[in-house]
Amino acid sequence: MKKTVYLATLVLSLGLFGSFLGGSVAFADKQEPYGDITHTSDSEGYIHFDPEGNIVESNLGTNTSKKTRPAINHESGRWVYFSDLYDWGRKKKGYSSHYSFKYNRHGAKARVGNVIRIANAGFKQWAVATAYGKSSDTFSCWYNPTGWY
């Protein structure tokens, strides 16, 4: 009986410690890019970030004194993008996703370091591109609301 109580206490303690540690690591790993994006037209868009998640180049209007919105609503759809650190902060995931309710062909592209992923989709579907690399890599993302990549 005592062994069961000790084992249950150990498992519960490790579970609580693991959830606390895992939660704090996940929170610390979240990279929040900087720069306010304002864009409404149906032209193609891209954003390039430095390794820390700051906007270094974009063809969309930016104001780097504010936090970026990880989603842009434009004339024909929505573009969602972000980067995350994972595996205890050793790796980076870059995500670019585009949805169109107007065009039959549209696409999204994500790059982390030298790894590029492309996704294309049709009318009222999400094009989801996800690239993986090292935590020190840069992240870039693109969307094309009127054509495929």
Side-chain angles (χ1 to χ4, degrees):
M1 179 67 174
K2 284 185 179 183
K3 286 183 180 180
T4 305
V5 171
Y6 288 134
L7 182 59
T9 304
L10 178 65
V11 169
L12 180 61
S13 298
L14 290 175
L16 289 174
F17 178 73
S19 68
F20 171 76
L21 185 61
S24 64
V25 168
F27 179 77
D29 285 353
K30 184 78 171 173
Q31 282 199 318
E32 297 198 24
Y34 292 92
D36 188 26
I37 303 298
T38 54
H39 186 66
T40 56
S41 77
D42 270 348
S43 60
E44 293 182 57
Y46 68 86
I47 306 172
H48 303 302
F49 298 92
D50 67 12
E52 287 77 40
N54 301 306
I55 295 174
V56 293
E57 184 182 350
S58 175
N59 71 334
L60 311 174
T62 64
N63 176 354
T64 55
S65 65
K66 297 179 181 177
K67 294 262 184 184
T68 188
R69 291 175 290 172
I72 294 175
N73 294 316
H74 58 81
E75 190 175 302
S76 66
R78 181 172 175 86
W79 180 39
V80 179
Y81 58 90
F82 64 86
S83 67
D84 271 336
L85 294 179
Y86 68 100
D87 193 18
W88 298 91
R90 293 183 299 219
K91 298 189 180 193
K92 183 182 289 184
K93 172 176 74 170
Y95 177 86
S96 178
S97 181
H98 186 262
Y99 178 83
S100 179
F101 55 79
K102 186 175 181 181
Y103 296 104
N104 194 34
R105 301 173 87 152
H106 61 97
K109 183 167 42 170
R111 183 184 79 203
V112 175
N114 294 324
V115 177
I116 298 174
R117 295 293 179 254
I118 294 172
N120 295 302
F123 181 66
K124 292 189 177 182
Q125 295 177 338
W126 283 96
V128 179
T130 308
Y132 299 89
K134 297 181 295 187
S135 63
S136 60
D137 287 340
T138 60
F139 167 57
S140 297
C141 50
W142 296 260
Y143 76 99
N144 185 346
T146 60
W148 285 349
Y149 281 110

